Amino acid sequence: MSHLLDAGSSSSGGLVHLALGAVGLVREALLGALWQPLLPTSLLCQACPRLLPAEGQPGEGCWRVHSVPAGGGPEDQARSTNALLMVASLLSPQNGAVPSEATKRDQNLKRGNWGNQIEFVLTSVGYAVGLGNVWRFPYLCYRNGGGVGYGMMVVSTYIGIYYNVVICIAFYYFFSSMTHVLPWAYCNNPWNTRDCAGVLDASNLTNGSRPATLPSNLSHLLNHSLQRTSPSEEYWRLYVLKLSDDIGNFGEVRLPLLGCLGVSWVVVFLCLIRGVKSSGKVVYFTATFPYVVLTILFVRGVTLEGAFTGIMYYLTPQWDKILEAKVWGDAASQIFYSLGCAWGGLITMASYNKFHNNCYRDSVIISITNCATSVYAGFVIFSILGFMANHLGVDVSRVADHGPGLAFVAYPEALTLLPISPLWSLLFFFMLILLGLGTQFCLLETLVTAIVDEVGNEWILQRKTYVTLGVAVAGFLLGIPLTSQAGIYWLLLMDNYAASFSLVVISCIMCVAIMYIYGHRNYFQDIQMMLGFPPPLFFQICWRFISPAIIFFILVFTVIQYRPITYNHYQYPGWAVAIGFLMALSSVLCIPLYAIFRLCRTDGDTLLQRLKNATKPSREWGPALLEHRTGRYAPTIAPSPEDGFEVQPLHPDKAQIPIVGSNGSSRLQDSRI
């Protein structure tokens, strides 16, 4: 599979990975904390009657709104407003967090938060560490020597559709492994051809004997003269996929894959049925158990004959390639795609953090974990590939592969050589399922959160579960063509075009917009307000200069190294490539189209005035919760007595209060906020 299925890096660019990963994650996590749906500015306080007496003697824990006394100039009113805001912040038992408190309880009750910080870290690790850490990273080491928001949503939609199809194939292999003999172990099945030659198939090798190691002349015969195809390859191509001869020839829908696709979407929906409250609990298992499986496979792999050869091939760098731009381009590209810095998932997950969460620390942990997992998975993969190469009598490079070729062909074939092979196969594909689900959770939650936050009213907030169900059903229906006989062609087309080049463009625009349009000083002040300390100088330099330069380098590198897509020996037709480019443009075009839309709706007598007004933050920009809107985000215009503030009904679940926003408009707000 390509870079987008959560890739690792080449061994030559590991340091680039860690630096870029931490910088990108800090930026996205901070953006997520700021880009929560914003509550209107109002004067709320929750106090006992002795402090703020009012008619009716309200009971304990009831919301009340107090108007600012009339009289005085704007400065006096502003001071009164800020004083009431301070009282509200200090007296609120639920949302009264300040940076200096030992226990911060800055919770967004309307939108929800993570149960605890480990849930966010595990979810982000599960999002970053995915299938690509198992199949893309080893391939790169073998080869190299060891309107932005709308665009993000389009990209996440494409990825969410085909990513779950990959998970469904892993489900299929998992269920197929529940047998005493793996169906891809021998060449005596109805779907096998005469070219099939399995390393365990005694009848095709040496008159019924099963040697531990193949003779060199027989290995040469199998790999060159007869153009050997393995039973695992034929099982994948002729039985699982029933691959058609052209991308336009859909053939039939593979019902077993369709059923597994349904199972995959049901699992994802059930895990997200309560949003981050439920998925935050699931990731305790889905983000940690793959490491248990990796460790089991690692211990088994390093004890196999030939494993040392595979590991040494993995660890030995090719120094002649260290100066090649392609190596560093691959390294930068893979960490960029692996961490998903422009998918929208990181911003979505970070938006459920508490305001003063130390996202700086979290981003470093996630970056290190992602890179370390890729390195660790490389040991596991290459130990097995070394064992397989020793069995076939060929070099390790002859059995190394990437994408579905590694996950569903090469590695399953290697598993057939192990004692009790069905057990190892079950563990391996169960690990793939968990790795894939960790990423899919974030992709679906990103889409659901975008829809709910964009609508933003109380009605849709109370029906978020139905939105999740609707998105899951739509994803299942759109994934049905990918389970047809031509499905793998479309899956690879989407992977290579719909979420590749466009991600680099979106990320580059986002980086430039934040640093040079919103302003780096404003951004650094926002960070200091949330974290309590300014970002380190290294990150400031990276965000302003190094990150845009590296992203631009990746963009140029992607264009230069572009080659028309192929699958094995199949060359995609021109019309299919054109569809791929249209999918790529569909996400990028969201940015200029939305910019034109905003420009047309912005006030201004001239085009220049409209442009200046359109590039300024809106009045609602800032922290989502009232008590965090301090400093330059503090309201400066106080409401007058004519605004009609009065004590509201005291029932904590049903009471609503009139809220006066920063633009002077009023609306009802649930008292629980």
Side-chain angles (χ1 to χ4, degrees), residues 256-337:
L257 293 182
L258 182 62
C260 291
L261 181 63
V263 170
S264 181
W265 275 111
V266 168
V267 171
V268 172
F269 168 71
L270 292 178
C271 292
L272 290 175
I273 194 169
R274 294 182 59 234
V276 296
K277 294 297 183 183
S278 56
S279 65
K281 304 300 183 292
V282 175
V283 294
Y284 281 105
F285 179 73
T286 60
T288 57
F289 191 74
Y291 292 97
V292 177
V293 178
L294 274 177
T295 302
I296 295 173
L297 293 175
F298 173 75
V299 173
R300 184 67 186 102
V302 296
T303 60
L304 297 172
E305 184 180 359
F308 182 76
T309 303
I311 292 175
M312 289 306 299
Y313 184 91
Y314 167 58
L315 295 177
T316 303
Q318 298 181 21
W319 296 107
D320 58 312
K321 292 189 175 183
I322 199 69
L323 297 179
E324 293 183 8
K326 186 174 181 59
V327 173
W328 294 97
D330 281 340
S333 298
Q334 292 316 306
I335 192 61
F336 175 82
Y337 293 121

Side-chain angles (χ1 to χ4, degrees), residues 148 508-523 591 595 611-617:
V148 174
C508 187
I509 294 175
M510 180 175 66
C511 196
V512 172
I514 294 172
M515 289 295 105
Y516 299 101
I517 298 179
Y518 178 66
H520 65 277
R521 289 187 179 87
N522 290 333
Y523 188 58
I591 300 174
L611 184 61
K612 288 182 178 180
N613 292 332
T615 54
K616 292 179 181 179

Side-chain angles (χ1 to χ4, degrees), residues 318-360:
Q318 298 181 21
W319 296 107
D320 58 312
K321 292 189 175 183
I322 199 69
L323 297 179
E324 293 183 8
K326 186 174 181 59
V327 173
W328 294 97
D330 281 340
S333 298
Q334 292 316 306
I335 192 61
F336 175 82
Y337 293 121
S338 175
L339 293 172
C341 290
W343 294 19
L346 291 173
I347 292 179
T348 301
M349 296 302 106
S351 71
Y352 290 101
N353 275 329
K354 296 180 180 179
F355 187 76
H356 295 295
N357 171 62
N358 191 345
C359 52
Y360 170 73

Side-chain angles (χ1 to χ4, degrees), residues 128-198:
V129 176
L131 300 175
N133 294 78
V134 175
W135 64 41
R136 175 68 175 174
F137 177 80
Y139 166 70
L140 283 179
C141 293
Y142 145 70
R143 188 178 71 181
N144 293 323
V148 174
Y150 290 105
M152 287 180 177
M153 293 308 102
V154 175
V155 170
S156 293
T157 300
Y158 287 134
I159 299 174
I161 292 172
Y162 74 76
Y163 205 93
N164 226 18
V165 176
V166 179
I167 299 175
C168 93
I169 298 175
F171 265 113
Y172 183 84
Y173 270 79
F174 176 77
F175 294 139
S176 299
S177 301
M178 297 179 180
T179 178
H180 65 285
V181 178
L182 294 176
W184 58 84
Y186 298 101
C187 292
N188 57 356
N189 301 289
W191 59 81
N192 291 125
T193 66
R194 298 182 60 181
D195 293 333
C196 179

Side-chain angles (χ1 to χ4, degrees), residues 488-507:
I488 192 65
Y489 297 124
W490 290 99
L491 189 151
L492 294 176
L493 184 72
M494 296 177 68
D495 186 48
N496 279 271
Y497 288 95
S500 177
F501 175 80
S502 55
L503 280 175
V504 187
V505 176
I506 291 173
S507 183

Side-chain angles (χ1 to χ4, degrees), residues 141-478:
C141 293
Y142 145 70
R143 188 178 71 181
N144 293 323
V148 174
Y150 290 105
M152 287 180 177
M153 293 308 102
V154 175
V155 170
S156 293
T157 300
Y158 287 134
I159 299 174
I161 292 172
Y162 74 76
Y163 205 93
N164 226 18
V165 176
V166 179
I167 299 175
C168 93
I169 298 175
F171 265 113
Y172 183 84
Y173 270 79
F174 176 77
F175 294 139
S176 299
S177 301
M178 297 179 180
T179 178
H180 65 285
V181 178
L182 294 176
W184 58 84
Y186 298 101
C187 292
N188 57 356
N189 301 289
W191 59 81
N192 291 125
T193 66
R194 298 182 60 181
D195 293 333
C196 179
V199 293
L200 294 180
D201 205 329
S203 61
N204 288 350
L205 297 178
T206 55
N207 296 324
S209 63
R210 298 185 182 181
T213 304
L214 298 178
S216 59
N217 60 341
L218 181 56
S219 174
H220 182 274
L221 179 66
L222 291 175
N223 287 281
H224 295 85
S225 301
L226 295 179
Q227 295 298 314
R228 169 188 178 267
T229 59
S230 65
S232 61
E233 181 181 352
E234 293 196 348
Y235 179 78
W236 161 254
R237 181 167 47 88
L238 302 178
Y239 184 75
V240 177
L241 302 178
K242 288 191 176 179
L243 190 64
S244 65
D245 57 354
D246 186 73
I247 187 174
N249 182 14
F250 283 90
E252 63 180 14
V253 172
R254 299 287 294 119
L255 293 181
L257 293 182
L258 182 62
C260 291
L261 181 63
V263 170
S264 181
W265 275 111
V266 168
V267 171
V268 172
F269 168 71
L270 292 178
C271 292
L272 290 175
I273 194 169
R274 294 182 59 234
V276 296
K277 294 297 183 183
S278 56
S279 65
K281 304 300 183 292
V282 175
V283 294
Y284 281 105
F285 179 73
T286 60
T288 57
F289 191 74
Y291 292 97
V292 177
V293 178
L294 274 177
T295 302
I296 295 173
L297 293 175
F298 173 75
V299 173
R300 184 67 186 102
V302 296
T303 60
L304 297 172
E305 184 180 359
F308 182 76
T309 303
I311 292 175
M312 289 306 299
Y313 184 91
Y314 167 58
L315 295 177
T316 303
Q318 298 181 21
W319 296 107
D320 58 312
K321 292 189 175 183
I322 199 69
L323 297 179
E324 293 183 8
K326 186 174 181 59
V327 173
W328 294 97
D330 281 340
S333 298
Q334 292 316 306
I335 192 61
F336 175 82
Y337 293 121
S338 175
L339 293 172
C341 290
W343 294 19
L346 291 173
I347 292 179
T348 301
M349 296 302 106
S351 71
Y352 290 101
N353 275 329
K354 296 180 180 179
F355 187 76
H356 295 295
N357 171 62
N358 191 345
C359 52
Y360 170 73
R361 172 204 60 203
D362 295 343
S363 61
V364 173
I365 294 174
I366 295 166
S367 300
I368 294 176
T369 302
N370 178 68
C371 296
T373 302
S374 294
V375 175
Y376 187 38
F379 281 95
V380 177
I381 297 297
F382 272 89
S383 63
I384 300 294
L385 294 180
F387 169 64
M388 185 177 179
N390 179 73
H391 232 67
L392 294 174
V394 298
D395 190 74
V396 177
S397 62
R398 297 291 304 278
V399 295
D401 204 345
H402 74 289
L406 177 61
F408 301 119
V409 177
Y411 206 88
E413 182 179 19
L415 293 174
T416 62
L417 305 176
L418 300 177
I420 323 178
S421 55
L423 172 63
W424 304 111
S425 182
L426 283 170
L427 286 175
F428 175 73
F429 288 109
F430 187 56
M431 178 186 68
L432 289 188
I433 291 171
L434 295 182
L435 289 174
L437 288 176
T439 301
Q440 188 67 19
F441 289 160
C442 293
L443 290 171
L444 183 60
E445 182 64 32
T446 297
L447 297 175
V448 173
T449 300
I451 295 172
V452 172
D453 287 353
E454 185 67 18
V455 177
N457 56 40
E458 193 70 24
W459 183 87
I460 198 169
L461 283 172
Q462 295 176 353
R463 293 164 176 79
K464 185 177 179 181
T465 299
Y466 298 104
V467 178
T468 305
L469 177 62
V471 174
V473 171
F476 170 75
L477 295 177
L478 292 173

